[in-house]
Amino acid sequence: MADREAVLTAIRDERLKRQSTLRRLMAMPELGAIAGAILVFLFFGVTAGGTGMFAADGVLNWVTVAGQLTIIATGAALLMIGGEFDLSVGSMIGFAGMMIAIPTVYFGVPIELSVLFAFVGALAIGFLNGLIVVRTRLPSFIVTLASLYILRGMTIALSILFANRTIVSGVRNFADGTWVQALFAGKAFSGLFVWLAETGVIATLPNGDPAVKGIPAVVLWAAGLALIGHVVLSRTRLGNWIFASGGDANAARNVGVPVGRVKIGLFMTTAFCATVYATCQVMEFGSAAADRGLLKEFEAIIAAVIGGCLLTGGYGSVVGAVFGALIFGVVQMGILFTGAPNDWFLVFLGLMLLTAVLFNNVVRRRVTGER
Amino acid sequence: MSAAIASTPDAAVRPEPGRPLIEVRDLVKHFGPVVALAGVSLTVRAGEVLCLLGDNGAGKSTLIKTLSGVHKPTSGDFLVEGRPVAFSTPRDALDAGIATVFQDLAMIPLMSITRNFFMGREPIRRVGPLSFMDMGFADRVAREEMKRIGIDIRDPRQAVGTLSGGERQCVAIARAVYFGAKVLILDEPTSALGVAQTSMVLKYVSQVRHRGLGVIFITHNVRHAYAVGNAFTVLNRGKTLGTYRKSEITIDALQNLMAGDKELQSLSDDLDGMV
């Protein structure tokens, strides 16, 4: 008996040893997204290398797109790992914009307070989304699909009610020169970029200004949120609770993880991220529009899935979602730079999503040992 | 850090063998009109394995869910180390030293061994106002505890899904022991396992008993029960049919008792005693 077991152990160990390096690599959720990002960079390095895509202003272009998406993808990834979806992210972007613009333009509320109001309002809606999901145990897919329509409907209705059209403009008059505008739409390190232009590292405009005036606030928000999200997920107790809540809510509850509170907090996080996105847009454009954020919920989910998050929860990473967003930005802008018809972007996006899901499925089987 | 490991709950003083850890008398549980438990009595002693036997529907699940704080009993006495208790959550039971390892809910396959091991009880390292999960400490403890039960894992960050079913049960048990459980409730830990895996789990259960814990071992496999049990309580239709020390009953008598009526016995005879 003992001999037999020793033999069995030896066989098992040997097999594990041979696979352990591969397994370890495969067990990194972000692996696929990183590999994908490298491929995409190689592709556009060859096809769009001479188009200015990789000059300073070209880089700014796709980094901004990737940054915007990173903001909402971070929230979406954390929520997906926690085992839920939020389809109301895009509508929340539109609605949060209205929550800033309408009080500012039509009620004379100082812009700082309007922004605060938008964040509080969005967090309350996120809380409500989470509470309904946790209490009723309905799929979050359905609950937030309802929110998607309710919020988008309210965004359009309120816009028509106050502005008599689907855009509320004139925010700029109230925002110019305020610290909130600097915080959400400013440019950082502009001195550095002036110096870079003077030394000839980056190009200058005809009037002598550098082609890139600084790092847009939206990119810094993206970097900050992604970093916080990554650290919380991988290095804190809360992160372990997020994995556990999404991996198996019952098992987590049995060992005392407050699953309900974790999930509600995650819904509030996606709402918060959507509001950061919305505020950046409102400050940048000086207006709120009823169609802002349309379909962004899917882009956020796509970035998270490309980044290795499983649709069933319990597995994924914020780093992966950032690479997912990067792929998104590079491809979307890269197609413009190469001059290929932009319509092909959606085809490519769909194919990439399908590939990512198939790949993730294989990874999950490896990781869980399913056959 | 080594000091931290030495002062873990595992090193706490265990009660002397034979002392009752859990006493349950005439426990009754109704779900509306359904009587799930109609008067169950049992005693779990330190350093002993009490096997809870019964066919499907006998009330085993309801009983363990009551003992582990998921359900509240309708009536009856429930004493832990001589003191009456009333748990309202599984966490209360855990804090009283009663840890339950559920058959399929023990571990989360997608999460690493370390993350599973410390799930709900993450070690914290403070850096100024921030608190982080001490992954270095957690990895080290997980690896050491796995080694103690004879599972040599190369990487405690590998997913639990890569472990076999028996190993997963053992990790779940090791986790409960590490966090200072006095009583372990094992819900059919062997029912989904093959022969080698089963013997691995049974061996570990016996090892845990020698460390002075009380174990409630739920199974409907009499052979598995007889291999590790010190005492056997048989449940039928929500009632205890009786409790027997190992010296008082044979494996066949136990099987007959568990079958409850003559039907299975005659079937068993037809099949030459192979059930």
Side-chain angles (χ1 to χ4, degrees), chain A residues 272-311:
Chain A
F272 177 86
C273 292
T275 310
V276 170
Y277 186 110
T279 312
C280 289
Q281 269 199 334
V282 170
M283 295 301 152
E284 176 87 28
F285 299 145
S287 66
D291 63 347
R292 292 272 164 79
L294 204 63
L295 294 180
K296 287 294 169 195
E297 58 279 341
F298 292 113
E299 293 183 9
I301 291 172
I302 289 170
V305 170
I306 292 174
C309 292
L310 291 183
L311 294 145

Side-chain angles (χ1 to χ4, degrees), chain A residues 234-235 237 240-241 367-368, chain B residues 105 115 122 133 159 161-162:
Chain A
S234 60
R235 292 274 174 276
R237 162 180 290 177
N240 214 36
W241 289 357
V367 170
T368 59
Chain B
L105 295 177
R115 285 185 178 278
E122 294 81 3
M133 183 171 166
T162 59

